[in-house]
Amino acid sequence: MDADFQLGRPARGARIVVAMSGGVDSSVVAALAARTGAEVIGVTLQLYDQGVAVERAKSCCAGRDIHDARAVAERIGIAHHVFDYESRFRTSVIDRFADDYARGRTPVPCISCNQGVKFTDLLRFARDLGADCLATGHYVRRVATTDGPQLHRAADPARDQSYFLFATTREQLEFLRFPLGHLPKDRVRDIAREIRLPVAAKPDSQDICFVPDGDYARVVEKVRPDAVRPGEIVDRAGKVLGRHRGLIHFTVGQRRGLEIGGQPEPLYVLRLEPESQRVVVGPKRALAVRAARLSGVNWLGEDQREGLAAKVRSLARPAPARFDGERLLFESPEYGVAPGQAAVLYEGTRVLGGGWIEETVAAELETA
């Protein structure tokens, strides 16, 4: 199977840079690029010390992944380079992640990584090489139109990664290519087996790359040890129900780990108050949100206000909403909305843009 990289000129004589993480997806992209006849250069970012990261079998960009990316490049006969971005990744992604958690927010580090290390630094490198495009293994679709390229959700909804790419700029989208966006994951695996890639059976990464065991609090405690301070767990009226070991152990919507008994109904984390180190809890109905104020809004499409659908979590279904220029207003109450998350705006399958959630308005308080 061949992929259309939309190079705008004959492939022979063109140059494609492929971001290779060492996983099956980016490896297949590199193989498809090589089939076009263009000169292909694979680039892998080292985001950790290899001696330590090699033990993190499920994390991306670790020592094993660098080895796998190099093996794939040798198998398909393309050049391969590894660049040390450990310091850059720590300051722009890991430190930001820890700081957000310490402030009681719910960060999405994969978006920060795409905004900075991948779609800024790596894209700049590809341009410096004189490449015609930078191709990645993301499951999204780039649709060319007479008004410029559009970003759309992947054909396979179970694999769609458009939520993580809302901050992509129009200029970046002109240069980026996503050859897997129209394929189901099973077909990508089949291609890898057909061309005998050494990573064909490699498991997918399931976690944030620098939190392979899912223990976010441990990472925050290591990066920001002074952020771990005990405090009170209170109800909405301020009544003390218990104590906690630190805000970093909680996120909005969480039920487990509160260790509060004797209540008439289950309690959930409603909000975190870093100034007082308080965890405010309440019934599930109090989690319903009618509106959210956004910052850092990025538009890939037109500045549209009506007829939108919004996703506030990567696995959530888009919910009908409208945008008044600052606030996102949901047609029906939405759950699981928290400061620090991204709200991504869609029109059908097209990604119009999105922004960062700064604060929310509870449905029971919203009268307009």
Side-chain angles (χ1 to χ4, degrees):
M1 178 203 147
D2 295 321
D4 181 9
F5 283 79
Q6 301 175 355
L7 298 175
R9 62 170 174 150
R12 297 194 181 278
R15 177 176 291 166
I16 301 173
V17 170
V18 179
M20 298 182 68
S21 68
V24 65
D25 297 324
S26 60
S27 296
V28 167
V29 169
L32 294 177
R35 283 186 177 184
T36 67
E39 178 189 4
V40 179
I41 300 173
V43 177
T44 302
L45 302 180
Q46 178 185 320
L47 304 182
Y48 304 100
D49 174 77
Q50 292 192 54
V52 176
V54 72
E55 301 300 325
R56 301 177 180 179
K58 293 184 179 180
S59 65
C60 74
C61 306
R64 174 61 185 273
D65 296 315
I66 293 172
H67 173 273
D68 289 343
R70 183 177 292 117
V72 168
E74 291 177 358
R75 170 73 179 85
I76 61 180
I78 65 171
H80 179 253
H81 301 279
V82 178
F83 293 95
D84 183 357
Y85 271 68
E86 184 177 353
S87 176
R88 175 86 163 92
F89 183 76
R90 181 182 177 91
T91 57
S92 65
V93 179
I94 298 179
D95 286 353
R96 177 177 174 180
F97 172 86
D99 289 340
D100 276 352
Y101 252 104
R103 294 166 54 204
R105 295 167 65 85
T106 305
V108 191
C110 295
I111 297 175
S112 301
C113 184
N114 288 326
Q115 275 185 298
V117 175
K118 291 181 180 176
F119 287 179
T120 300
D121 299 343
L122 189 52
L123 191 145
R124 184 186 303 116
F125 170 76
R127 288 190 184 278
D128 289 345
L129 281 180
D132 292 83
C133 67
L134 170 65
T136 80
H138 288 99
Y139 282 85
V140 292
R141 289 181 295 144
R142 178 186 182 274
V143 177
T145 75
T146 54
D147 295 324
Q150 299 177 352
L151 187 65
H152 285 250
R153 290 159 61 188
D156 183 350
R159 302 298 304 181
D160 176 55
Q161 293 175 301
S162 61
Y163 178 83
F164 301 106
L165 301 184
F166 86 87
T168 305
T169 67
R170 298 184 189 189
E171 181 183 15
Q172 290 170 343
L173 191 57
E174 289 278 358
F175 195 67
L176 290 164
R177 300 294 186 274
F178 309 107
L180 305 186
H182 64 291
L183 296 175
K185 180 64 180 234
D186 289 347
R187 179 56 186 143
V188 174
R189 289 278 184 194
D190 289 342
I191 295 171
R193 284 190 288 265
E194 289 166 7
I195 56 183
R196 298 181 181 180
L197 293 182
V199 296
K202 185 174 181 177
D204 293 331
S205 176
Q206 299 295 325
D207 303 295
I208 295 173
C209 64
F210 57 91
V211 195
D213 59 0
D215 190 348
Y216 304 145
R218 182 177 60 82
V219 173
V220 178
E221 189 169 4
K222 182 177 180 181
V223 176
R224 295 286 186 267
D226 59 341
V228 185
R229 290 181 286 163
E232 298 173 336
I233 301 175
V234 303
D235 64 16
R236 289 182 290 175
K239 178 183 177 182
V240 178
L241 304 178
R243 294 189 61 81
H244 64 81
R245 295 180 293 121
L247 293 185
I248 63 173
H249 296 281
F250 302 93
T251 56
V252 172
Q254 181 175 330
R255 177 181 173 186
R256 294 182 179 179
L258 291 174
E259 299 178 354
I260 299 174
Q263 301 300 313
E265 56 185 322
L267 297 177
Y268 297 79
V269 175
L270 302 183
R271 67 178 181 273
L272 304 173
E273 298 180 347
E275 298 82 6
S276 61
Q277 293 296 305
R278 296 200 309 179
V279 176
V280 181
V281 299
K284 184 176 181 179
R285 62 181 177 276
L287 282 171
V289 167
R290 180 67 73 177
R293 182 173 66 83
L294 305 186
S295 68
V297 176
N298 175 65
W299 288 105
L300 271 170
E302 300 75 21
D303 184 346
Q304 189 168 326
R305 305 297 175 93
E306 303 287 341
L308 301 172
K311 288 181 69 169
V312 295
R313 299 177 309 284
S314 62
L315 298 180
R317 289 186 177 183
R322 58 189 175 89
F323 184 60
D324 67 6
E326 181 181 16
R327 292 197 313 167
L328 181 66
L329 300 107
F330 301 101
E331 285 190 8
S332 300
E334 188 73 6
Y335 291 82
V337 188
Q341 293 174 323
V344 182
L345 309 178
Y346 297 83
E347 181 183 40
T349 63
R350 185 185 178 188
V351 180
L352 294 176
W356 297 100
I357 297 172
E358 293 299 330
E359 59 184 5
T360 61
V361 177
E364 58 189 10
L365 300 178
E366 175 73 8
T367 57

